[in-house]
Amino acid sequence: MEIDLRGWLLALSNVLLYWLVQMFNDVLGDHGLTLHLGALYLILPAACLRQGWALLLAFATGWLIDAPLPVTFGFHSVLYALTVTLLYAFQRSLGRAGLGQLILVALGVNAILILVQSLLLAGPLLGNSLYWLRVGGDLLASTLALPLIGWWFLSWERWLLLLTGSGTEAPESA
Amino acid sequence: MALKRLSQFKPLVVLLVFLAAWWVMPVMVKRWLQTGFYEFQAPLSAAESHLEDLQSYWTLRGQSKREMIEAGRDLARENARLTVQLQDNRSLAAEISRLETLLDLPSHPDFRYEVARVARRDLSAWWQQITIRKGANYGIPVGAAVIYKGGVVGRVREVHATTSIVELVSSSGFRMAANVVGEDRPVTYQGLLNPPFSNPLGEVLNVPAAVKVSPSQPMRLVSSRLGGIFPEGLTIGEVVELTPGSDGFFQQGRVQLNPDLGALREVAVVIPIGDETTPAVERPPATQEAVRGD
């Protein structure tokens, strides 16, 4: 498997986004809100990397998120790997899509990710209305924040890829 | 033709290979990966916390000399008051010790307090935890109680090289023994969650039927010595409502926690003396004063 420089750039971008979202959540947590922008980690890797690299990136990002959390290590990795594989089915369309279209896709994927995580991690709170109120609040806040942060982040990723002489189009052999 | 049809399943096969590789990976390797990824991002959290400190520093720099002089004067007064209180505490501790010896009572556990800055907060619907900037290097043990000026913060869940993760009292996995003020019988407290734009919540279980509260007359819930790690009498929150439990003998209800819990900057880890892990570095003397738990 040849080394794809784009994979490393997208991995560093994911670390940057993770850190920035963490800073936002540090402040928002006090108001009972949390931003979940998991889809943004996955959209461009699924659009422009070979599947093996996209999966590696999804796993690494998941490990980064899981490491400090009280959740089974690898939970987010598996969730992101499944999402990347689903997105990979639309790789050609994603590679050609404009920024606005990518954000629309990210909005849909993000909402599904939040709901799936909420179901899987609810535990004894599954039937608690306050829990779903909180999840609803987080979903709304994330949906409102994603276009803004996503616009910047996807533009940043695309700029990085252009800087290295490559674009967001899918690899030939994919 | 058949080959082409099979190639359609290639993405699925690749995914299954990755998942299978992950599931058969030895636990040791997974643990090593987790520690590696944690320690990789620990400096990011610390950097964020240091940036916050820098921001506070420059905010203070922008204040006028007059304001700083007034703040210094107020601090000097507070210092004098606390010094008197410290002397009082010392004489009370000596008195308790004398009575314990006289009456042949088992002595109260002794604690030392390790003050630590908060580096990161994870306050989602699924987990409520903070990361503090002290870990194995300051002898923090797993399971130690964490408190602040408003009462109970939580319990140390994980200790790393230079940081520790504290499970907050509002986390749904947090349970401890408690007492409703004015009631001797112990009750069980457990965290609930932090709804949007309102205070974090907990719930109290096994409350005797005789205890009555209302939102206008809430009762304070405090830590109990039965909890083991927490000094007695620290505020957990306020019981604002109680409803009869399914067994008819006990009640259960909501506990309103302190709103400051989500914005803590500094906390103290309560380390029972004799239960300390050996710190890797020298601690500054100001943070290692041994004081009595009661």
Side-chain angles (χ1 to χ4, degrees):
Chain A
M1 189 150 82
E2 68 187 64
I3 290 177
D4 191 344
L5 177 66
R6 295 187 295 182
W8 291 103
L9 289 175
L10 294 178
L12 286 176
S13 301
N14 279 0
V15 174
L16 176 70
L17 179 66
Y18 171 73
W19 188 50
L20 292 175
V21 170
Q22 182 55 46
M23 281 213 272
F24 275 120
N25 284 340
D26 225 67
V27 179
L28 285 174
D30 190 25
H31 306 289
L33 287 174
T34 309
L35 294 184
H36 302 286
L37 303 176
L40 289 180
Y41 298 123
L42 312 172
I43 293 284
L44 272 196
C48 70
L49 296 180
R50 286 173 209 282
Q51 198 198 0
W53 279 105
L55 280 173
L56 265 182
L57 186 57
F59 263 87
T61 308
W63 290 334
L64 186 75
I65 294 169
D66 285 344
L69 298 178
V71 69
T72 312
F73 186 61
F75 172 82
H76 281 97
S77 301
V78 173
L79 198 64
Y80 287 174
L82 290 169
T83 313
V84 156
T85 307
L86 282 176
L87 286 171
Y88 190 74
F90 308 99
Q91 190 180 45
R92 296 263 172 234
S93 323
L94 284 175
R96 285 195 297 268
L99 210 51
Q101 291 163 313
L102 286 179
I103 286 171
L104 277 179
V105 174
L107 277 171
V109 172
N110 205 53
I112 294 169
L113 275 175
I114 293 175
L115 291 174
V116 170
Q117 283 185 74
S118 305
L119 282 170
L120 293 176
L121 296 170
L125 293 174
L126 192 65
N128 193 319
S129 56
L130 279 175
Y131 172 71
W132 290 105
L133 182 71
R134 171 68 200 250
V135 170
D138 288 354
L139 181 61
L140 187 67
S142 304
T143 306
L144 290 174
L146 192 138
L148 209 64
I149 298 173
W151 198 276
W152 164 78
F153 182 67
L154 294 175
S155 306
W156 158 263
E157 281 189 318
R158 284 175 144 206
W159 177 75
L160 273 184
L161 296 179
L162 284 175
L163 210 66
T164 56
S166 53
T168 55
E169 66 280 356
E172 284 306 312
S173 59
Chain B
M1 187 70 180
L3 201 66
K4 195 177 175 189
R5 221 177 301 146
L6 272 178
S7 71
Q8 288 176 343
F9 294 102
K10 192 186 155 200
L12 204 61
V13 174
V14 176
L15 173 71
L16 288 176
V17 168
F18 265 82
L19 292 181
W22 174 245
W23 274 312
V24 299
M25 192 180 279
V27 177
M28 281 288 285
V29 179
K30 285 184 182 173
R31 185 76 202 148
W32 178 81
L33 267 174
Q34 186 173 12
T35 310
F37 270 83
Y38 181 85
E39 295 299 352
F40 164 75
Q41 63 179 281
L44 291 181
S45 308
E48 185 192 328
S49 169
H50 284 295
L51 275 176
E52 243 178 72
D53 291 350
L54 195 66
Q55 192 185 8
S56 310
Y57 170 77
W58 283 105
T59 310
L60 286 175
R61 281 287 297 244
Q63 288 187 326
S64 68
K65 274 187 184 167
R66 189 191 165 87
E67 283 172 317
M68 297 306 274
I69 290 166
E70 281 173 5
R73 185 200 58 204
D74 292 346
L75 271 178
R77 282 180 187 160
E78 185 67 6
N79 237 348
R81 190 182 67 79
L82 289 174
T83 310
V84 172
Q85 207 168 346
L86 198 62
Q87 281 171 2
D88 261 4
N89 282 350
R90 280 193 189 125
S91 59
L92 282 173
E95 179 65 10
I96 288 169
S97 178
R98 192 183 69 80
L99 288 173
E100 277 172 358
T101 316
L102 198 70
L103 301 170
D104 204 17
L105 291 172
S107 63
H108 284 104
D110 284 351
F111 302 103
R112 77 173 170 85
Y113 293 89
E114 192 68 62
V115 177
R117 299 285 282 179
V118 175
R120 167 187 168 135
R121 300 164 190 86
D122 289 299
L123 308 169
S124 74
W126 311 306
W127 38 74
Q128 304 262 313
Q129 61 178 33
I130 55 172
T131 304
I132 54 172
R133 281 193 337 220
K134 281 183 182 174
N137 56 341
Y138 280 83
I140 309 279
V142 173
V146 182
I147 61 173
Y148 77 120
K149 62 178 178 176
V152 175
V153 172
R155 185 187 292 131
V156 175
R157 186 169 58 79
E158 275 177 42
V159 177
H160 295 270
T162 55
T163 53
S164 303
I165 298 176
V166 179
E167 183 184 26
L168 288 184
V169 70
S170 52
S171 174
S172 58
F174 185 95
R175 280 173 84 97
M176 67 182 279
N179 279 119
V180 178
V181 167
E183 177 66 41
D184 288 339
R185 283 168 286 184
V187 297
T188 306
Y189 166 82
Q190 81 175 24
L192 195 56
L193 47 74
N194 190 0
F197 302 110
S198 58
N199 295 352
L201 292 174
E203 63 183 341
V204 63
L205 310 167
N206 306 327
V207 182
V211 177
K212 299 276 178 256
V213 297
S214 66
S216 56
Q217 283 181 315
M219 288 189 94
R220 207 158 65 90
L221 189 71
V222 295
S223 58
S224 156
R225 195 178 298 170
L226 292 173
I229 57 166
F230 287 96
E232 199 177 2
L234 293 173
T235 304
I236 299 171
E238 282 186 333
V239 185
V240 286
E241 64 171 43
L242 284 172
T243 51
S246 52
D247 56 11
F249 294 110
F250 294 106
Q251 305 179 88
Q252 59 189 50
R254 289 269 161 82
V255 181
Q256 200 90 54
L257 303 175
N258 198 319
D260 294 342
L261 210 59
L264 294 174
R265 299 288 299 271
E266 209 153 55
V267 295
V269 184
V270 183
I271 304 173
I273 289 174
D275 189 25
E276 304 162 84
T277 53
T278 315
V281 296
E282 196 80 7
R283 283 192 301 277
T287 62
Q288 45 179 331
E289 186 186 357
V291 282
R292 290 191 67 89
D294 46 4

